[in-house]
Amino acid sequence: MISLSYYIACAVVLYIIGLYCLASKRNMIKLVMGLEILVNAAHVSFIAFSAYRSVGYIDPLGHSVVIMSISFAGCVTALGLVIVTYAYKHYKTLDVRKLRRLKW
Amino acid sequence: MFTPPLNALLVFMVGTPAIGWVIHKKGYPKVQGIYASAGLLVAAYFLYGLSREVSEKGIVLITGPLPFNPPLGACLQIDVFSIFMTMLYILIGLFTTVYSIKFMERDSGLTEYYTLMLGMVAGMTGVVFAGDFFTLFVFWELMCLTSYALVAFRKQKWESIEAGFKYLIMSAAGSATILLAMSFLYGMTGTLNFAALASRLANTSSEGWLYITLALVIVGFGIKAAIVPFHTWLPDAHSAAPSPVSAMLSGVMVPTGACVLIRILLLVFSSAQPAWQMTLAIFAVFTMFGGNLMALLQNDLKRLLAFSTIAHMGYIVFGFAIASPEGLAASLFHIVNHAVMKSLLFLCAGAFIRQTKTRDLRKLRGIGKTMPMTSAAFTIGTIAIAAFPPLNGFWSEMMIITAGVRAEMIIFSALMLANMALSVVYYFRLIRIIILERPTKVSKKATKAPVSMLIPILVLAFLCIFIGAYPVPYIDASSKAAEAMLNIGAYIDAVLRGL
Amino acid sequence: MEVARIRLAVLTTVILAILIFWMLIVEYDFPAFKYVDPNQPPELVENDTSTIGQEVSRFLWEYRVIDLIAQAFVLFAAAACCMALLRIEERKR
């Protein structure tokens, strides 16, 4: 069996990739995808912990958290995509840098 | 299922679309707003009953209908602090809803608007009621989702879309960070119940992973609480949202982030207390300076108020960082005062904007001549928020500073005092522009605000004076809430007593 | 030119951060379930793919019923959010 450390390392690496995606990507849809990557990092970590609680058994607490959290991520993505469609209507582009009329 | 006030809020939230459909058929205007206000009043009534129960028992534990109890099962755990915050949510929610009836009448989609407004109040209530980290997260998502949609509500303007998108990305990243921190806590203890976490992690000072989790929690909730490196969503979201929504966001939602953060830090990370106290104090000083310095440069009324919110979040977080009973009580009292003052200012700003169609301070000069009542209330709010002695802001800010001096954080207290002096500059600039200067073309054309908008404004202005004149009962209430927050033993016992 | 340099710097930082974290995590073990309460036996489920779904859903309905019902309200609110933003603007006369 692979050591648990590798799964945690994977989760943290996924999290950093998600943050990199949010910081550097210009396409608004890719930003929403970055959010999904961030949430999935946490999911990987939950599932790994629940599988490693004891040998041959899994802990259903971690699974139930992930099941519910997936649907929340779906809600946020849906709302994000709705806002993206309106941004596209206003600007005729998905480049987030064209949007920066507001001061950061 | 949940507690009566939360049930009422959720049921009224689900009922709003049905009412909206009936109204659409019959063609009565404004009924949704009255319905939502009625929902909040019903919730306030139930909250009164719950508060009596809490004051008798200390902590009320709500589990599901089936006999599957915490720590493994989900639970709501209500103490004095939860009741204290919920009263504030329902009060401010009621004022903003009554105000919205007139303010939003020219917008479409009012049914959805009131649904989301009730959903936001319900979400915040659930967040302070939750006794389990994942229950907290569920209600946190309810609060976040509704606030994203409310910020982007006027979708025909580019500004709200842009601000909404930025807010969504930053805040959802914060939620994901909280989820990652949750997974680490779960990995260490095998449970997500706050009481179980608190009792298991009480003596673990030399655990490196605990500090990583602590950092993730501070970042995740800090994004919502607008602590300075993570504050960039706030000015845009506050200035782009409709004014009642900015009053809700600034008055109660942003402080909720700080409240939940300190609650989790006190319960779960009690073994790392010196570390997070110092971190929060340093963040608080950055937050104060960032907010105040940026507010000096603004020419947009709502943006100025938004930066002032950031500065006040700095004061509140500093009070929490002291973590003594006095510091917590002072911060909770300041949350009440800030909610009253800042929602008053945002509602007045909304009235100005509605009558003049501009947010530019240069065009709003001398509006006091044409809108005397609103301007008088605005002046009261500004004087209160600048912490002048007879009004409410003074008491709580002085309490935070005294608590800081007593806890030997003198440098930070001095920095906070300097910040208060700095903030007086832009508040006086606001008063001068609104009252003293000669009216411009735009402000001459303005008419008086409608009565149903004036009522919440005047009641809030009255509250500013009233709390300033009789601060003792409010200070008592916030001290009780602070005691409940610090009484971790009772919180743990309420869940784990039978085991 | 400027943008390319910034991107390069960000990418390098990210790769370095990933490497450092990987080293740290593999070197210092996560205290997995070190602080579990021994008096609280967990409700474990046998790792069998044919029954695991039913077992987890039973756990959800028994222990997490508050979360589940709150989740229903969150989904309702999400639908209301999307409807609020996707509404058709009526033309004002």
Side-chain angles (χ1 to χ4, degrees):
Chain A
M1 218 165 165
I2 308 165
S3 157
L4 177 61
S5 310
Y6 290 102
Y7 286 101
I8 302 167
C10 259
V12 173
V13 168
L14 259 184
Y15 185 79
I16 295 172
I17 290 172
L19 283 186
Y20 169 71
C21 179
L22 288 189
S24 68
K25 290 295 168 204
R26 289 185 227 161
N27 191 322
M28 291 172 85
I29 293 180
K30 282 185 186 165
L31 291 182
V32 178
M33 284 159 73
L35 283 182
E36 281 295 298
I37 295 175
L38 276 182
V39 175
N40 281 330
H43 291 171
V44 166
S45 163
F46 260 115
I47 292 289
F49 282 128
S50 91
Y52 275 79
R53 179 131 192 196
S54 65
V55 180
Y57 290 89
I58 59 120
D59 187 5
L61 180 62
H63 281 239
S64 52
V65 165
V66 170
I67 286 170
M68 283 192 247
S69 172
I70 285 171
S71 72
F72 299 146
C75 294
V76 172
T77 310
L79 195 53
L81 289 178
V82 169
I83 296 180
V84 170
T85 52
Y86 278 106
Y88 186 72
K89 267 188 196 167
H90 278 283
Y91 293 90
K92 306 286 174 225
T93 173
L94 284 174
D95 191 344
V96 82
R97 275 197 261 164
K98 298 280 190 305
L99 248 80
R100 289 182 183 168
R101 268 198 250 171
L102 292 171
K103 290 150 256 170
W104 282 71
Chain B
M1 189 68 226
F2 312 104
T3 54
L6 193 50
N7 280 343
L9 285 172
L10 289 172
V11 166
F12 272 86
M13 175 184 108
V14 176
T16 317
I19 295 287
W21 184 72
V22 172
I23 292 163
H24 189 70
K25 292 276 168 200
K26 296 271 182 184
Y28 300 125
K30 294 182 191 170
V31 179
Q32 301 108 315
I34 295 165
Y35 173 81
S37 318
L40 285 164
L41 280 176
V42 170
Y45 171 73
F46 283 130
L47 183 68
Y48 176 67
L50 187 68
S51 72
R52 293 186 59 168
E53 197 183 340
V54 167
S55 63
E56 270 172 30
K57 287 191 199 163
I59 288 175
V60 174
L61 183 70
I62 307 283
T63 55
L66 304 167
F68 296 101
N69 285 335
L72 211 52
C75 67
L76 299 176
Q77 204 168 350
I78 300 139
D79 58 2
V80 182
F81 161 73
S82 321
I83 297 288
F84 180 82
M85 291 306 289
T86 312
M87 274 180 189
L88 192 64
Y89 299 150
I90 291 183
L91 186 78
I92 302 294
L94 188 63
F95 286 134
T96 47
T97 314
V98 171
Y99 180 89
S100 312
I101 294 172
K102 192 72 187 173
F103 185 82
M104 300 294 288
E105 65 177 355
R106 290 175 207 163
D107 290 71
S108 63
L110 286 181
T111 312
E112 287 90 350
Y113 175 80
Y114 289 110
T115 314
L116 297 180
M117 208 71 172
L118 284 174
M120 196 164 144
V121 177
M124 289 187 295
T125 311
V127 163
V128 289
F129 277 5
D132 184 288
F133 211 148
F134 193 66
T135 316
L136 188 147
F137 187 77
V138 174
F139 285 108
W140 183 264
E141 284 292 324
L142 179 59
M143 178 183 102
C144 289
L145 271 170
T146 47
S147 63
Y148 305 149
L150 284 173
V151 166
F153 191 75
R154 289 186 166 158
K155 65 199 167 70
Q156 61 275 32
K157 290 184 190 162
W158 60 269
E159 192 188 11
S160 17
I161 289 298
E162 201 167 305
F165 188 69
K166 190 167 152 187
Y167 176 36
L168 185 137
I169 293 290
M170 290 194 69
S171 179
S175 299
T177 313
I178 296 169
L179 201 66
L180 190 67
M182 251 165 77
S183 81
F184 286 159
L185 285 178
Y186 167 69
M188 278 184 233
T189 61
T191 177
L192 286 174
N193 189 284
F194 279 139
L197 282 173
S199 71
R200 298 308 299 166
L201 290 174
N203 305 311
T204 51
S205 52
S206 59
E207 187 63 78
W209 278 95
L210 196 70
Y211 287 95
I212 292 177
T213 317
L214 174 66
L216 290 176
V217 166
I218 290 182
V219 171
F221 286 104
I223 287 177
K224 208 61 167 181
I227 293 173
V228 144
F230 322 114
H231 72 289
T232 45
W233 63 270
L234 189 140
D236 300 335
H238 279 40
S239 51
S243 291
V245 176
S246 356
M248 278 297 276
L249 289 183
S250 162
V252 288
M253 199 197 75
V254 178
T256 305
C259 278
V260 176
L261 174 63
I262 192 67
R263 169 133 238 185
I264 289 170
L265 291 184
L266 281 172
L267 280 172
V268 180
F269 295 97
S270 53
S271 57
Q273 186 158 358
W276 60 252
Q277 262 184 309
M278 211 55 202
T279 318
L280 277 192
I282 291 168
F283 271 133
V285 168
F286 277 117
T287 312
M288 291 173 205
F289 272 105
N292 279 328
L293 291 178
M294 287 303 287
L296 286 174
L297 308 173
Q298 300 304 320
N299 267 324
D300 179 330
L301 179 55
K302 282 176 86 176
R303 256 185 114 74
L304 195 154
L305 292 177
F307 277 110
S308 144
T309 303
I310 296 177
H312 279 264
M313 284 315 295
Y315 304 156
I316 291 168
V317 171
F318 173 57
F320 282 147
I322 298 166
S324 66
E326 297 133 18
L328 287 181
S331 266
L332 289 174
F333 186 39
H334 193 62
I335 285 176
V336 175
N337 287 338
H338 176 253
V340 170
M341 300 182 295
K342 197 48 74 62
S343 41
L344 168 64
L345 290 180
F346 267 116
L347 294 186
C348 289
F352 292 146
I353 291 160
R354 185 176 182 273
Q355 306 302 31
T356 60
K357 307 270 185 303
T358 178
R359 300 199 315 239
D360 196 336
L361 279 175
R362 286 163 293 198
K363 288 181 189 160
L364 281 173
R365 281 200 182 113
I367 191 126
K369 302 279 191 308
T370 43
M371 297 172 72
M373 296 286 265
T374 319
S375 307
F378 190 83
T379 314
I380 291 172
T382 319
I383 293 173
I385 210 166
F388 275 86
L391 294 169
N392 57 359
F394 170 75
W395 299 110
S396 49
E397 290 184 19
M398 279 303 132
M399 275 169 74
I400 293 178
I401 288 174
T402 13
V405 171
R406 278 202 198 136
E408 296 181 343
M409 294 170 121
I410 295 169
I411 299 171
F412 294 109
S413 305
L415 285 173
M416 182 176 159
L417 209 59
N419 265 291
M420 282 164 62
L422 191 63
S423 68
V424 170
V425 177
Y426 60 84
Y427 292 130
F428 266 86
R429 179 166 160 250
L430 268 186
I431 296 181
R432 200 195 71 212
I433 286 172
I434 298 290
I435 302 280
L436 300 178
E437 295 212 358
R438 194 175 293 165
T440 57
K441 244 187 269 170
V442 179
S443 53
K444 263 180 196 165
K445 267 190 246 163
T447 48
K448 281 181 188 168
V451 180
S452 67
M453 275 163 67
L454 270 178
I455 292 169
I457 290 176
L458 291 180
V459 173
L460 280 169
F462 172 73
L463 267 181
C464 274
I465 300 171
F466 184 76
I467 298 178
Y470 298 103
V472 181
Y474 303 92
I475 294 174
D476 280 350
S478 39
S479 324
K480 271 185 197 154
E483 270 169 33
M485 240 176 165
L486 284 170
N487 196 351
I488 299 167
Y491 197 88
I492 295 172
D493 275 352
V495 171
L496 303 179
R497 194 187 294 133
L499 300 170
Chain C
M1 186 62 210
E2 194 64 31
V3 177
R5 208 176 286 167
I6 291 170
R7 282 178 73 90
L8 198 67
V10 170
L11 203 62
T12 327
T13 327
V14 165
I15 290 170
L16 271 179
I18 288 175
L19 283 178
I20 290 167
F21 264 99
W22 190 277
M23 296 278 281
L24 278 177
I25 290 163
V26 175
E27 201 71 16
Y28 296 97
D29 271 343
F30 189 86
F33 301 106
K34 193 174 159 193
Y35 303 104
V36 172
D37 195 344
N39 304 323
Q40 258 294 300
E43 175 97 354
L44 292 182
V45 168
E46 205 173 334
N47 195 354
D48 178 3
T49 41
S50 58
T51 58
I52 200 165
Q54 286 141 32
E55 289 295 314
V56 171
S57 64
R58 187 187 54 76
F59 178 87
L60 265 172
W61 271 114
E62 285 175 354
Y63 285 96
R64 293 269 142 191
V65 66
I66 288 185
D67 291 351
L68 265 184
I69 294 174
Q71 190 199 14
F73 285 107
V74 176
L75 292 179
F76 176 85
C81 289
C82 293
M83 276 171 68
L85 290 183
L86 290 172
R87 67 183 191 265
I88 297 161
E89 208 60 44
E90 290 152 21
R91 289 268 168 267
K92 295 273 154 35
R93 281 162 213 150

